[in-house]
Amino acid sequence: MAVFESYGYVVGEMAPSETREKGVIISRQLVDDENSEMIVMDEPDEYARATLPVHFGAGLFAGSIHGLGSTFFEWHPNNLPKFGIINTFHHSVAHSLLFGTYEGTKRIIIHQVHSFDDETNYYGAAYLTVFGLAGGIAGQIQYVASHYTEQWLGLSDSTLRLSMRSAAAPTLRPVLLAFLSSAIGFLAFEYGK
């Protein structure tokens, strides 16, 4: 919860106040139209106005908050400063990739979906698929990056590795499961913002 809140706060603060480009934009309002949910066309929100570097930076900030918070719950009295820095760096990289990849993938895919109805100004349910697909891809990238940074930084066995060649590759099952859980998480995020 704190991760999404801190991410949203940074994006909201860094997004330009006026729209610079026109395109397919989705809003936060949902309406019920003949028993199917549709997304209302509205002014672009701060997520659509923010640049991709802002999304990566906001993810970096959110990951830092997550890393610092988890450090205090998983602390080791003998090596707290080292563990805290490494843990915070690990979460910062992972969340930067998660949120930046989600927004970038969503922007690429959303321009391929042309289900806008000019009469009603509504987008169809295809956008839910876009959110889920972008979220799932972002989750897989974040999982793979986390898998390697955990090993490289020594979080899994407290041995710092200087070479990525010695790191074991992730297995397919958790990578596929990361897709599903992240897709559901970003669907909830889009509905909740």
Side-chain angles (χ1 to χ4, degrees), residues 32-54:
D32 192 14
D33 181 37
E34 298 177 359
N35 298 326
S36 66
E37 290 185 321
M38 307 294 269
I39 298 171
V40 180
M41 179 67 170
D42 200 358
E43 290 297 315
D45 64 2
E46 60 270 6
Y47 295 93
R49 290 191 313 263
T51 63
L52 286 180
V54 166

Side-chain angles (χ1 to χ4, degrees), residues 10-175:
V10 172
V11 169
E13 291 297 314
M14 299 298 292
S17 59
E18 295 190 17
T19 307
R20 291 189 187 165
E21 61 183 68
K22 297 188 187 240
V24 178
I25 305 298
I26 38 192
S27 92
R28 295 183 248 173
Q29 299 175 339
L30 295 172
V31 294
D32 192 14
D33 181 37
E34 298 177 359
N35 298 326
S36 66
E37 290 185 321
M38 307 294 269
I39 298 171
V40 180
M41 179 67 170
D42 200 358
E43 290 297 315
D45 64 2
E46 60 270 6
Y47 295 93
R49 290 191 313 263
T51 63
L52 286 180
V54 166
H55 286 280
F56 279 101
L60 190 76
F61 177 74
S64 298
I65 298 296
H66 183 194
L68 288 171
S70 67
T71 295
F72 293 108
F73 290 108
E74 301 172 13
W75 77 314
H76 305 284
N78 297 338
N79 63 354
L80 180 61
K82 176 187 171 199
F83 177 76
I85 292 169
I86 290 172
N87 192 40
T88 301
F89 177 76
H90 161 72
H91 284 288
S92 297
V93 169
H95 286 79
S96 178
L97 288 172
L98 177 69
F99 287 109
T101 302
Y102 170 72
E103 188 64 32
T105 306
K106 181 177 85 171
R107 288 180 184 189
I108 290 169
I109 298 171
I110 211 163
H111 288 293
Q112 305 305 316
V113 178
H114 300 290
S115 63
F116 182 70
D117 184 357
D118 288 328
E119 284 184 24
T120 61
N121 290 341
Y122 293 129
Y123 285 103
Y127 283 83
L128 299 179
T129 304
V130 170
F131 302 149
L133 186 60
I137 291 169
Q140 288 179 315
I141 288 172
Q142 186 253 357
Y143 178 81
V144 171
S146 290
H147 179 82
Y148 283 113
T149 59
E150 278 180 0
Q151 294 178 63
W152 185 57
L153 295 171
L155 291 174
S156 57
D157 62 4
S158 68
T159 305
L160 185 64
R161 290 182 172 81
L162 298 177
S163 172
M164 287 300 285
R165 291 183 208 170
S166 62
T171 58
L172 184 60
R173 184 172 185 224
V175 173

